[in-house]
Amino acid sequence: MQEKRRTIGYICPKCRQSVVADRSLFSLSVGHMKLACPCGQSALEVDYLGSAYRFTVPCAACGGSHTVQLTSGQLMGHKLLGLSCPSSGIDCCYLGEEGPVFAAMPRLEQTLDKQEEAPAGGERTFLDETVMAEVLAELRDIAARGGISCTCGSHRWRLQIRYSAVELHCADCGGTLRLPAATVDDLTDLCAKPKLLIHGRT
């Protein structure tokens, strides 16, 4: 039987290089695991709590770190799972299969570059207003043809718009699908999806 594995990726808030590594579920479950940046100034840490995994993630978006708890089902149930900064809404870590994680990391680098270029003082409603407008237009098109549903079977959902992403929430089970909306690549990725499936909680 093939060993279950997860690829983990984040961007160091100190030196700004991408840190990506492959880890087995066993290595994540030994109690404590650290994924350090080669510069030695930051490290992602995972603590196994018996029924959940606690991730402490360095955040290049705000310079701090964030703590998130995930069940085994949440950790292993997604091809790509993004953990985001609560203050900026920008992703700070990706967990999932190797291909999707490696594909997402360059988009995160672009998003962080765009954040650095943004004017100070909060003049922008969104990180990239043009990209956000196009993403929302594409979502309207997908919704109009009945292309949004949840794994619980529901077709009822609500939309929440963030600074650099949009979230689809299932109206029945509360499941969430987060879609980055900061770069042209985010828009291109959405346009390539004729349907969107929210990951339900049931």
Side-chain angles (χ1 to χ4, degrees):
M1 185 176 178
Q2 189 174 10
E3 187 177 28
K4 294 180 179 179
R5 309 188 69 84
R6 290 286 85 173
T7 297
I8 304 169
Y10 73 96
I11 293 180
C12 175
K14 302 300 183 181
C15 71
R16 297 300 290 269
Q17 68 175 306
S18 295
V19 182
V20 183
D22 178 71
R23 292 290 185 269
S24 68
L25 187 60
F26 175 78
S27 69
L28 295 174
S29 305
V30 295
H32 182 78
M33 190 278 293
K34 181 179 289 188
L35 176 58
C37 177
C39 77
Q41 299 183 81
S42 72
L44 179 150
E45 299 185 45
V46 184
D47 292 287
Y48 183 55
L49 308 177
S51 59
Y53 299 83
R54 183 175 63 214
F55 285 78
T56 303
V57 184
C59 179
C62 71
S65 63
H66 308 298
T67 301
V68 179
Q69 287 193 22
L70 300 172
T71 65
S72 178
Q74 290 172 321
L75 179 60
M76 301 303 297
H78 301 268
K79 289 186 177 181
L80 180 68
L81 179 64
L83 307 181
S84 61
C85 171
S87 59
S88 69
I90 295 173
D91 290 337
C92 58
C93 174
Y94 292 113
L95 310 165
E97 297 177 2
E98 181 180 36
V101 170
F102 271 97
M105 291 302 292
R107 296 206 302 270
L108 178 54
E109 292 173 4
Q110 293 176 36
T111 300
L112 292 169
D113 288 343
K114 190 168 290 188
Q115 182 194 34
E116 286 190 343
E117 297 167 1
E123 291 88 346
R124 291 185 180 182
T125 303
F126 305 113
L127 184 57
D128 188 311
E129 295 188 4
T130 301
V131 169
M132 180 62 77
E134 294 291 337
V135 164
L136 293 175
E138 183 63 24
L139 280 174
R140 283 195 294 270
D141 290 344
I142 296 173
R145 58 178 182 262
I148 301 177
S149 61
C150 179
T151 55
C152 76
S154 175
H155 286 266
R156 301 191 311 122
W157 51 275
R158 58 184 175 84
L159 177 69
Q160 189 167 17
I161 303 173
R162 305 286 190 180
Y163 178 62
S164 61
V166 295
E167 295 176 358
L168 301 176
H169 299 275
C170 176
D172 291 313
C173 75
T176 300
L177 175 63
R178 189 172 184 277
L179 302 167
T183 69
V184 173
D185 285 345
D186 293 335
L187 176 60
T188 301
D189 183 59
L190 178 61
C191 290
K193 296 175 178 176
K195 296 182 178 181
L196 296 172
L197 188 63
I198 299 169
H199 300 286
R201 293 182 177 176
T202 56

